[in-house]
Amino acid sequence: DTGVSQNPRHKITKRGQNVTFRCDPISEHNRLYWYRQTLGQGPEFLTYFQNEAQLEKSRLLSDRFSAERPKGSFSTLEIQRTEQGDSAMYLCASSWGGNQPQHFGDGTRLSIL
Amino acid sequence: AQTVTQSQPEMSVQEAETVTLSCTYDTSESDYYLFWYKQPPSRQMILVIRQEAYKQQNATENRFSVNFQKAAKSFSLKISDSQLGDAAMYFCASPIQGAQKLVFGQGTRLTINP
């Protein structure tokens, strides 16, 4: 069990640029979740996958956001045409099935200049 | 909508003392879980303790225990013999049935005074 891995740890970009984050879940976990956390707040749900299927997306996830999980393994979260309000910590978590604790990665901190 | 509320933005405690962090929640589900997560500064969020709502017995993990009051929808975390390494943000969370996506409270920042 190597834990949930997220890359990069930090991303600084100019407004209007596209960014992509990667999450590698714990290998035997079939569920993968993305959350967004702003300073001083609890994480907010963005989207989740069961295997390769994206089953739910939050209203927080505008059309500029897209997530994939090809082959039910790693996942990517892309933000197009970044805006100042996208600055946040993006957390990935994985679990085996429902009602099981989610294991979190270290997160990717996005800063928009 | 499912909500989780932590009314204490900050708490502090002397090393070796006991501290209790409060959490209330609102859910329409009959069977559910509740979690406490710990997030140290610039570090990973880790699970501290889990409570299954259908179990009457309060969960305990070493120095961490919960006081689960189902009728009052209250789920507080007690940390005994506080240690410097306990300093962190603590989040109460409840998963929504089906997706099991977590709804988090606003967090309580715990400081341990040596």
Side-chain angles (χ1 to χ4, degrees), chain B residues 5 50-51 73:
Chain B
T5 303
R50 172 173 75 164
Q51 175 76 42
K73 294 185 177 177

Side-chain angles (χ1 to χ4, degrees), chain A:
Chain A
D1 180 354
T2 57
V4 178
S5 176
Q6 290 189 249
N7 288 288
R9 291 292 306 275
H10 304 275
K11 180 69 177 179
I12 302 173
T13 191
K14 293 182 179 179
R15 184 170 56 89
Q17 297 295 304
N18 299 342
V19 294
T20 300
F21 312 139
R22 175 175 171 132
C23 171
D24 288 89
I26 293 172
S27 57
E28 62 268 25
H29 285 180
N30 61 346
R31 292 194 178 202
L32 187 148
Y33 301 81
W34 285 99
Y35 294 87
R36 182 169 68 187
Q37 185 179 24
T38 52
L39 201 62
Q41 300 295 316
E44 294 176 293
F45 169 79
L46 292 178
T47 188
Y48 100 102
F49 294 83
Q50 180 155 314
N51 300 312
E52 66 275 10
Q54 187 175 18
L55 297 185
E56 187 171 342
K57 295 197 299 184
S58 162
R59 287 173 293 178
L60 293 175
L61 219 62
S62 75
D63 291 344
R64 297 184 297 105
F65 288 70
S66 63
E68 294 182 344
R69 192 184 183 197
K71 303 178 183 178
S73 56
F74 71 92
S75 175
T76 57
L77 178 67
E78 181 183 16
I79 308 174
Q80 296 182 328
R81 305 181 303 282
T82 53
E83 301 174 354
Q84 290 286 349
D86 297 333
S87 295
M89 175 76 84
Y90 290 84
L91 296 171
C92 177
S94 69
S95 70
W96 175 245
N99 288 330
Q100 296 302 311
Q102 293 178 22
H103 297 257
F104 284 82
D106 289 333
T108 295
R109 182 170 296 284
L110 175 64
S111 298
I112 308 296
L113 300 178

Side-chain angles (χ1 to χ4, degrees), chain B residues 93-106:
Chain B
S94 177
I96 296 179
Q97 207 166 49
Q100 294 297 309
K101 59 190 179 187
L102 291 173
V103 176
F104 286 86
Q106 303 91 324

